[in-house]
């Protein structure tokens, strides 16, 4: 007995939804803040926040934001 077309479509959409949900769970689990630096020639390097160079870049960025908008920095403290 052949499968009804609407059931095939529902199964396909359900499969896509399951895959999308799994992707989002993995992404949320693995996503952590990082700083990406670019070098001449196109090379780039991603530095996680929990490394010494990454921590230094995050601190420098926070200071730049504070200088650019002192009102915002005071309200967050």
């Amino acid at each position: 007995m052949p499968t009804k077309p609407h059931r095939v479509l529902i199964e396909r959409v359900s499969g896509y939804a399951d895959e999308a949900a799994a992707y989002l769970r993995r992404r949320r689990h693995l996503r952590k803040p990082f700083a990406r630096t670019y070098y001449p020639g196109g090379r780039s390097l991603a530095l996680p926040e929990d490394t010494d160079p990454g921590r230094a870049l995050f601190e420098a960025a926070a200071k730049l934001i504070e200088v650019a908008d002192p009102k915002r920095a005071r309200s967050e403290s």
Side-chain angles (χ1 to χ4, degrees):
M1 173 176 227
T3 307
K4 294 184 179 180
H6 68 279
R7 288 188 183 159
V8 172
L9 179 62
I10 290 171
E11 289 174 6
R12 184 177 297 167
V13 170
S14 176
Y16 290 148
D18 290 343
E19 286 297 318
Y23 169 78
L24 290 174
R25 279 193 304 273
R26 286 191 304 271
R27 183 173 167 86
R28 238 187 332 255
H29 176 70
L30 298 175
R31 196 170 70 186
K32 295 180 182 179
F34 68 93
R36 185 174 308 277
T37 57
Y38 293 93
Y39 297 94
R43 187 175 73 96
S44 67
L45 179 65
L47 300 166
E49 186 180 27
D50 57 358
T51 63
D52 288 337
R55 195 172 300 110
L57 280 173
F58 274 83
E59 289 172 7
K63 289 177 184 175
L64 285 172
I65 292 168
E66 184 178 328
V67 169
D69 190 2
K71 291 180 285 186
R72 179 179 171 183
R74 275 185 261 144
S75 67
E76 290 178 357
S77 298

